[in-house]
Every structure is written in structure tokens, then in C-alpha cells.
Amino acid sequence: MNIINPAHDPQDVTRTLFQDFSTWMTVSFYVVAITAIAVFAYGVWMQIAKYRRGAPDRGWKMLGHRFMTMLKEVFSQRTVRRRDKPAGHAHALIFFGFVLLFIGTSIITLDYDITGPLLGLNFWHGSFYLWFSLVLDFAGLALIAGLLFMMYRRGWLRPPKLDYARPDRNPDEPDYNRSQYRIEDWAFLWTLVIIALTGFVLAAARMVWLHADPLVWDYRWWSPVATVLAYAFKGVGLTADGGEILRLYTWWFHGILALAFIAVIPYTKAMHMLTAAGSLMFRDPLAAQRLPTVPEEAVQVGYEKVTDFSWKHLLNLDACTKCGRCHEACPAATVGLPLSPRDLVLSLREFANESQWPKLLGGDPSKQVVHGDGVNQIRPETLWACRTCMACVEICPVGIEHVPMIVQMRRHLVEEGEMDPLLQGTLQNIQKKGNSFGENKRKRARWAKDLDFEIKDARKEPVDMLWFVGDYASFDPRNQKVSQRFARILTEAGVDFGILHDGEQNAGNDVRRVGEEGLYEMLAENNIEALNGASFQSIITTDPHSYNTIRNEYPDFGARFAIEHYSSLLDRLIAQGRLSFPKTLNYRVTYHDPCHLGRFNRGFDAPRNIIRALGLDLVEMQRSGDNSFCCGAGGGRIWQADPVGVEKPSENRMHEAAQIEGLEVFVVACPKDVTMFEDALKTAGYEGRFVVKELIELVYEALGHEKREREAADVA
Amino acid sequence: MKILVPIKQVATLDEDFELRDDGRDVDPDYFDKDLNEWDEYSVEEALLIKEASSSDVEVIVVTVGPDDADEALRKCLAKGADRAVRVWDDALEESDSLAIARVLARVAEKESPDMVFAGTQSSDAAYSSTGVALAAFLDWPHAAVVSKLDYAVGADKAVFHRELEGGLLEEGEIQCPCVLTIQLGINAPRYASLRGIKQAKSKQLDELSLDDLGLSASDVGAQGSASRVRRVFVPEKGQAELIGGTAAEQAERLARIIKEMRGM
Ligand code: SF4
Ligand code: SF4
């Protein structure tokens, strides 16, 4: 089918640009356009200059692959939809609408200003033009629909994550007030809506003006929305002459507003169009799991000044869209501790800008140190409130790496010696004794003495599996019981295993996340040496924290070991029939994903498979899987006291679990979780309602051991 | 301006330990060594004054001890002390606090500091006398157990608080230079990172012998001391016992104890 009337020359089926414009008008338009582009370019240049002040980053490798991944993320809009579908879909409408309109405008410019005059090549006419009109008409409609939903969301739905309430400042402090942002958010929406609406008015006015021209009017339905609007204009009595005037004024209004929008992109929220793409492109998929190493010869460690930040982290700061997803997921912000990953990023962004801009433009280049009490500076209590639980990094739609930034800033505090006395004591214990309990090294394997069999010393005889026990499971009395049960389970399943006895030290995961890199290096080196001195096929660990650092961070120290968490091993043993359960447990349980097993290393399935194999009735909490809510122990927080009078993250979690009707057991798979939640169970007032158990304990119970033990005790 | 801070590397005991064959000390296999807790505070106090001052302040840490005491000095250097001095000679073995103070006094005369901050006591021997004896040798005024200090670099007087019995505080002023022995809690000591300790290896650490200080072997050691440890021992176990377990178990244990005591 030919969509062009044979009576018409396809060359004539187009839109005449600057139709009936005098020369001065056309020239003025070009002056405005070029100025807008210059302002835009200056802004982009300033931002790039800002990133270039940053330290190097290892992100330049595999650029092609990075670029493709970024395109996939951007065009699938996957990250924007996560945990907020409606907003994600609305954003997709805006995004695709905007992209198509942008491409459309670029095509016109290409045809009119470049290929036309330079090569004599014009293609913006005929059927291409018609399809083009149709697509852009819908793009405009999509854009408006998306924007209207966003307005409805901000104005009526008002999700709390968008209210900019800051937990890290008091209302009377100068940088508490974020109303500036709110104004900007609305200005952004309104500007785009007005640009899109005036685009339609303009097209409709042109149609009314030129309705006598069959080259325009016969093809009107290729712009359906504009056409409907044109009928409406005619309906209210707009004449051709009126249409001409309306078209002229709207043309200028629309044109100038659109150009002004382009000009301010690098200075406003709109900047995320560029920075988010850059941030996603250079994102490190293991940003929280594998922290940056410090070169041995480095004189200075961590982030003290803006210029110590890697250029990527500076770019990250500008990518934040203030979507609040991280703020909502953060355990510290949730319970009202003085940290919100969003506000941290925004404060640093403002600070970086201020330190970059010349005095003339409101900057203050003398401000360089990001730590402190001043406006937009980061306070130590903010940094220490972080549990490095990765909830922020995991959900951030634009790939911002809060955790390494926070740890880098902590590294500076550690070098300055500024930290909680309790934490100092623990670090000193670890320095001296290799464990956080301050116990003698020789006592590490004492828990194994109560078993009726010997656990092999992997340093002395070869074993299949080396069990890396970890501090809590070795020294904490409650967790020692779990360790003993695990040893029995392994023996029952016929696994050939051993431990390092007093050769094992704290694996260093949390020491590193505190920011004590020197101590971490020492621990990693000592453990690697001990592991290299033992003979085994693979490592198994009951401690998700050790699991993470041995798996993801030891390779940076030249040691690659096959390691798994006990849950995947047990899952396999059950599947192979090497563990069978004479007893079915029928408790109603819920399962808490430990950060370092779940979010960090995506071990979501194995524990659930085991739970199902035991016959338990698993009811999930609202926040589970990748959205699991941290127990509050991470990042060395288990070695510090939480402030009194503030709810603990672990208590918050208990309240969530308690909503499950008839809950009997709160199942965990991490020794630190046992400690944190058993404590919170009491302080939150649920003692007697349900209990906290390690998954190992349930497996052990289902093996029928508990009963046998009780019988043995009764006989005695 | 100089502040001299005498420090000590102390022994921290393990839960289980054994005594040395001569019974006069713990077997060194059973203790770790660390910077004396009180000295963390005296060093911190000197560093705070240094950091608050606009003029140059040099903080010098000094210890009397064998080469492994360098570890304690390095910790102080990592925290920010400018340089360290360690005095040792085998003749110093067996010195009491008086003999040690005699050595420190010579170091002080050599360095001529504006202030000396010592820890109130050491956590292992706990005589609380080295700092005070040092003041006596120097013939300087001193204040002991200082829990708050108000001192500006170059001032000829310092104002301090001391803790007395019954929660009472004494506020006093003292002529400078002087020796102050510093109490726990006067400040919040900073952490010495492992990296910092490693990097402190590049800071100046002088080793002095008795000769360098114009002392002879008879000034120190057992000969130069006024007191001597005869033996250390663990007192007989007391008769207290915490009974655990279920109510039934507790009752049973109690019954057995009563029977034992009545010789049944
Ligand atoms: S890592 Fe966890 S605690 Fe830290 S800022 Fe992110 S969400 Fe909050
Ligand atoms: S940091 Fe990321 S998740 Fe947090 S508000 Fe900014 S864009 Fe959203």
C-alpha cells in the first residue's frame, strides 16, 4: 500500500521548518540555540573537570562489555522498576518518550543543518516523515502520561522515601532543609510537561493554520493526538489566521523552553540522564563484597578530601536521582540512626560542587576535607552508624557505591585514631590475639573437646573439606553448641573434614569494613599462610562473613580457594541422600537471609531448600531475599554498643517477624544473627512467643539426635 | 616547646599462667606485652596540647626497657608522638621504680622539656611511684592522679583537677615546668592503626645506654633500688562458689557441700 497519495510528490510531504519566518527570526533562533548548547557544554565540561580531580579507579577495563551492560540496564529500565513498579513504568514512559523525541529532533537537525546543506541529502519527507510523525506523536503522549503519573505520585501518593526527612541532621541545622530539592523536583516535572504540551499545541495550531493545504491536512492522522487537538481548536472557533498566530507564539515559547531545558541539564536534576548512564557503566558488580585494596607504598589511606575520592565515586555522587530507595532499605535510617545513604550522597555532592566552583559562582575552593561538623560535611557518627549491609548498593538504580565510599571515609577516621573505645579494644584484641574475643589463641578449638570424636587437624593430615569456623562459632558459648552440632552432622553424612585449630584467625571481613585495612591485611596474610599450609580440596564455612572475604577478597591477596557456605553443602548432601531425616519438623518458621550470604553472595535458595526438606512451614517476611533487613551486626557494629533509647535494627526485625501468625521459629544461618536476634527477642518482648534457631540446629533435630540425647540423659 | 612522656610496656596476663622458677614473677610464656593503659592517656593529653597549639610542640616518649619495648614506643609514635627514646642496659634488670625514675630524670635533664606527663600507675606493678619519684629527682613540683588539665603552651602555670575520695574533686594550680601523673578518663585516647604503627618505623627512635646518661651500673638494678620483690603468689582460693544449673541440681550441690563441711 502506498501511503502517499500518487498525486503528491513525496518530497513535498514534510514539514517546512521556519515556515514564513523572516530572516531575523531564524537568525535569532540560531543565536538562542547556540547559546543554549554552549551553556550546556560548559556545564558538562565543569562536571568532567570535577571528576578528573578524583583519584584513579580500576573501572576502565572491558569498556565494550561495560558499555553493553549499561545499555541493557538503561533500556530495560530494570533497575528503576525494582521495588517500585508504578514509578518504574512511569519512568519508562518518560524515558522512552524523551529519548524518541530527542532522536526525532536530532534527525531534523541532521537533515536540515548537516546532510542537507553539506551533501544535498534530504530524507525527512514522504513515508519516512509520516512514520516519524506517528512515532513522535505517541512519544509525546507517553512522556506526558509518565510525567502526570509522577506528579500524582509526588503530590498525592507522597511515598515517605520522597519526603527528604534527614536522620543525620536536626531540623534546626542549616543544611537540614531540603526544600530546594522539592522545588527543583516540581520544576523539572512542570518544565517537561509544558514542553510536551506546547509541542502538541504547536502542531495542532499549524494544522488549523494550514488545513487548506492537502499536503498537510490529508496526512493529519499520522499525528493523531495533534489532530484531535486541532479539531478541538476548530470546534472552539479557531480560524486559519488564528492558527497562524497561535502557532507563531507557541513556536517561540516551546522552542525557547526546550533550549533552556537543554542548557540547564548539567546543572540540575536532569543531569542524571548523563551521570546515571556513566555511573551504571562503571559500576563494580562486587563494590560492597570486595573493597578496594590500598597500595603498600600509599602514604595516605582512605578518603579525607574531596580529591581523594575516585573519579567514579565523584561521578556516583552526581548520578543520584534522590529516588530514596536506599534510604528506605537502610537499617540505620529505618531505626532513626544518624545515617541515610541518600543524604550522605547528596551532602557529598553539594560539598564536591562547592569545593569545585569558583567563588564567583557561589563555591568555596578552600573547602576540601569532607569530614567534620560543618555544612554538608560528614560526621563520624554518620559513618559509624553504617552496617555495610549493602542494602543501599544493591537497590540503587543508578549503581552508586555507598559502601566502599563509607569504608574509605572510615579508613581515614581509623588512621586518625578516631573511634569508639569499645571498638578500639576489640581491634587491639584482634591485633594481639587474632580473635575478637580477646581469648588466648590456644582456646580457639576448645569447643571441639566436648565431642565424642576428634576433629582432624587439617594442618597435620589431608582432609576433603576444610571447615573455616570463624570467631563467633569458635568462642561464643551459644554458638559453640551450634558448631558441635554441625560437626556431628558432617560426621553422620560421612564428610571427611578438618579444621585449622589454633592456626585459624579472625577472617578479617568486618575488620576491613571497620576501615582498619592494615589489620585486615595482616589477618588475610596469616590465614592465607595457614590455609596454604593445610591440605584440602575445598573450604566450607559456617560463617557468612568469613565466606565473603575468603571468597571475594582473598583473591586480591593472591589466594583463590574454592569455598562454600554450609547451606549449599547440606542442601547437596540432602539431595544425594547422605542425610535423611527420620523426624519431620512441622514448625511454622520464617527465614532471615544473612546479608553476607544472601545479598552479598546470592545464597538465597540453599537454606530454603533445606527448610523445605525438613518439612517446615516456611512463611516469608515482607523484607526477604535481596531485600533482607540487616541484623545490625555488620561493619564491626557488633563490637560497638548501639545508642540507648533508639530501636535496634534487630528489634525492628523482630517486630516484623512477630507479625507472622503462629510463628514458632525464626531461622538464621549466621552465628552473629544468633547473637543479635536472641538478644533482640528479649528486648523487643517476644521471649516465649517464638525462638531463634540456627538452621543447623533444626537439621540436627530432624536427624533425631535431640531425642536420643534426651533419652541418654534420662537413662543417666 | 617540649613535652616528655615516660611510658611503660606492661605485661598482660593470660587467664591461666605459671610462675617463674624463682617465684618472683610470672613466667614470660604466659603474658602478652602492651602499652600501659594509663600511658595511653598521658600520651593523648600531650598530643591534644600539641594539636591545639599554634606554635611548635614536640612530644617525646621515653621508656626504660629491652628492645621489645620498641613496640610500645612505636604505638605512641603512630598516634603522633614526634620521637622516641629507649634506655636499656642489662644492669637495669631488677630496678625498682626509684631506680627507673633516676634514669628518667637523666633523660629529662638531657631533653629539658617544659612538661612531663606520666601515667598515674602501671597496670602490672602498680606502684604509682615512678612519676612522683621522677619529680623528686628533678626537684620539680608535681601533681598526681590528674583527671583534668588546663594548660596552654608556654604558660608558667597549669590548672588541674584531681580526684579525691568520695567523689570530691580538687582544683589546683601548679608552677611549670612540673610532672603530672595522668589518670584514666582524662581524655579519649586515639587508636593506633596497624598501618600507622608500621609507618612509625621511619620516625626517630634513639637508644641510650647508662653511659650516655652518665649513670653507672650501681645507680640502677638491685643495687640502685630501695625495694625488692620477694615473691609473687596466688592467694589460697576463697570458699565462695557460684552454684549453677536447675533448682534440683542446685539443691543437690548445696546438700553435698553441707555434708562435706560437716565431715559426713
Ligand atoms: S550499607 Fe546498609 S547500613 Fe550502610 S548505608 Fe547502606 S543500607 Fe545503610
Ligand atoms: S543513592 Fe541511589 S538509591 Fe539512593 S536515592 Fe540516590 S539514586 Fe536513589
Side-chain angles (χ1 to χ4, degrees), chain A residues 201-214:
Chain A
V201 172
L202 170 61
R206 173 176 169 269
M207 252 179 236
V208 176
W209 169 36
L210 301 174
H211 76 267
D213 182 350

Side-chain angles (χ1 to χ4, degrees), chain B residues 114-132:
Chain B
D114 299 81
M115 286 293 249
V116 175
F117 294 166
T120 290
Q121 65 173 78
S122 60
S123 58
D124 53 357
Y127 280 103
S128 310
S129 55
T130 313
V132 183

Side-chain angles (χ1 to χ4, degrees), chain B:
Chain B
M1 157 87 195
K2 273 187 195 175
I3 303 177
L4 185 69
V5 186
I7 62 144
K8 181 178 180 189
Q9 162 123 310
V10 295
T12 57
L13 276 195
D14 251 10
E15 235 169 86
D16 318 304
F17 57 84
E18 280 174 25
L19 295 180
R20 218 160 61 183
D21 287 343
D22 68 1
R24 293 177 57 219
D25 205 345
V26 176
D27 185 330
D29 277 356
Y30 294 90
F31 57 71
D32 276 335
K33 290 185 165 179
D34 205 349
L35 175 63
N36 176 34
E37 195 183 353
W38 276 262
D39 301 342
E40 302 253 6
Y41 291 83
S42 53
V43 170
E44 181 70 29
E45 199 59 23
L47 293 175
L48 290 176
I49 289 172
K50 175 184 161 81
E51 284 160 1
S53 158
S54 50
S55 57
D56 263 356
V57 177
E58 193 181 22
V59 175
I60 306 151
V61 284
V62 52
T63 194
V64 179
D67 30 333
D68 68 355
D70 281 353
E71 210 184 301
L73 291 173
R74 289 240 167 73
K75 194 169 175 185
C76 303
L77 292 173
K79 286 167 180 255
D82 297 285
R83 68 189 163 84
V85 177
R86 180 170 63 80
V87 186
W88 189 243
D89 189 299
D90 287 343
L92 278 156
E93 209 74 70
E94 304 271 312
S95 298
D96 72 352
S97 52
L98 208 68
I100 300 288
R102 185 174 291 127
V103 176
L104 292 174
R106 286 296 167 92
V107 177
E109 279 158 11
K110 206 163 163 295
E111 296 285 354
S112 59
D114 299 81
M115 286 293 249
V116 175
F117 294 166
T120 290
Q121 65 173 78
S122 60
S123 58
D124 53 357
Y127 280 103
S128 310
S129 55
T130 313
V132 183
L134 169 59
F137 280 120
L138 291 173
D139 203 13
W140 282 9
H142 81 267
V145 206
V146 170
S147 59
K148 187 180 161 199
L149 179 63
D150 196 351
Y151 170 70
V153 170
D156 57 355
K157 264 187 201 144
V159 178
F160 58 84
H161 283 187
R162 294 178 60 241
E163 285 169 5
L164 305 181
E165 289 281 305
L168 216 57
L169 280 182
E170 173 191 293
E171 182 175 302
E173 58 175 48
I174 188 166
Q175 207 66 39
C176 301
C178 62
V179 177
L180 302 177
T181 73
I182 304 292
Q183 176 61 320
L184 303 181
I186 186 172
N187 51 39
R190 67 196 66 189
Y191 174 77
S193 76
L194 216 60
R195 239 191 132 75
I197 295 174
K198 273 192 203 154
Q199 282 170 349
K201 289 209 171 109
S202 61
K203 285 194 174 176
Q204 187 184 346
L205 195 162
D206 297 321
E207 290 169 32
L208 298 183
S209 65
L210 290 177
D211 268 357
D212 297 331
L213 296 172
L215 289 167
S216 69
S218 58
D219 295 323
V220 297
Q223 275 177 289
S225 296
S227 62
R228 169 176 183 276
V229 177
R230 285 167 68 177
R231 64 171 180 137
V232 295
F233 62 100
V234 183
E236 291 285 313
K237 260 233 166 79
Q239 288 297 307
E241 178 184 337
L242 189 66
I243 301 173
T246 64
E249 285 162 2
Q250 289 180 12
E252 197 190 311
R253 175 79 192 122
L254 197 59
R256 202 174 309 144
I257 292 172
I258 293 170
K259 277 184 197 160
E260 271 168 22
M261 285 174 68
R262 292 168 62 193
M264 289 163 71

Side-chain angles (χ1 to χ4, degrees), chain A residues 319-327 341-342 345 392 395-400 402:
Chain A
C320 174
T321 61
K322 317 186 190 86
C323 74
R325 284 174 171 81
C326 59
H327 177 82
R342 174 197 64 197
V345 165
C392 48
I395 193 61
C396 180
V398 298
I400 292 174
H402 319 70

Side-chain angles (χ1 to χ4, degrees), chain A residues 236-459:
Chain A
V236 295
L238 190 72
T239 60
D241 290 347
E244 183 178 3
I245 295 169
L246 180 62
R247 174 260 180 185
L248 185 68
Y249 285 108
T250 326
W251 193 97
W252 279 105
F253 182 77
H254 174 83
I256 289 177
L257 195 61
L259 286 169
F261 179 78
I262 290 174
V264 302
I265 286 176
Y267 310 88
T268 59
K269 181 180 166 115
M271 171 172 63
H272 82 274
M273 296 189 266
L274 307 171
T275 48
S279 180
L280 281 170
M281 176 155 158
F282 290 103
R283 154 200 246 170
D284 175 0
L286 292 178
Q289 293 91 325
R290 183 195 57 202
L291 295 173
T293 50
V294 175
E296 208 176 323
E297 65 288 353
V299 197
Q300 196 216 326
V301 187
Y303 289 174
E304 179 192 14
K305 302 198 198 84
V306 187
T307 45
D308 296 332
F309 281 63
S310 74
W311 62 261
K312 180 176 71 178
H313 287 162
L314 290 175
L315 172 65
N316 275 172
L317 302 179
D318 281 346
C320 174
T321 61
K322 317 186 190 86
C323 74
R325 284 174 171 81
C326 59
H327 177 82
E328 197 176 39
C330 175
T334 302
V335 300
L337 291 165
L339 160 69
S340 152
R342 174 197 64 197
D343 292 306
L344 179 100
V345 165
L346 292 176
S347 293
L348 286 169
R349 172 201 286 185
E350 307 242 341
F351 192 86
N353 284 337
E354 211 182 333
S355 76
Q356 148 98 2
W357 289 95
K359 274 227 160 72
L360 208 67
L361 296 174
D364 182 356
S366 72
K367 288 192 180 166
Q368 296 292 329
V369 176
V370 299
H371 298 268
D373 252 349
V375 170
N376 291 322
Q377 281 180 321
I378 307 300
R379 300 176 179 173
E381 65 263 32
T382 296
L383 295 174
W384 290 122
C386 176
R387 326 268 144 168
T388 64
C389 72
M390 197 189 143
C392 48
V393 174
E394 197 268 343
I395 193 61
C396 180
V398 298
I400 292 174
E401 300 174 356
H402 319 70
V403 171
M405 276 192 238
I406 290 174
V407 173
Q408 287 278 28
M409 285 188 274
R410 281 183 179 181
R411 283 179 180 169
H412 172 73
L413 295 181
V414 169
E415 286 315 308
E416 295 286 292
E418 193 174 330
M419 67 172 83
D420 183 88
L422 274 177
L423 181 58
Q424 279 194 35
T426 307
L427 293 181
Q428 273 162 6
N429 279 337
I430 299 177
Q431 264 187 36
K432 295 256 171 227
K433 322 239 177 182
N435 68 73
S436 56
F437 286 78
E439 295 275 6
N440 191 304
K441 287 190 175 97
R442 288 185 289 256
K443 289 193 185 157
R444 185 170 273 273
R446 199 158 276 185
W447 60 269
K449 291 265 177 333
D450 295 341
L451 294 168
D452 45 14
F453 54 90
E454 285 244 332
I455 297 187
K456 287 186 185 172
D457 187 336
R459 295 170 302 177

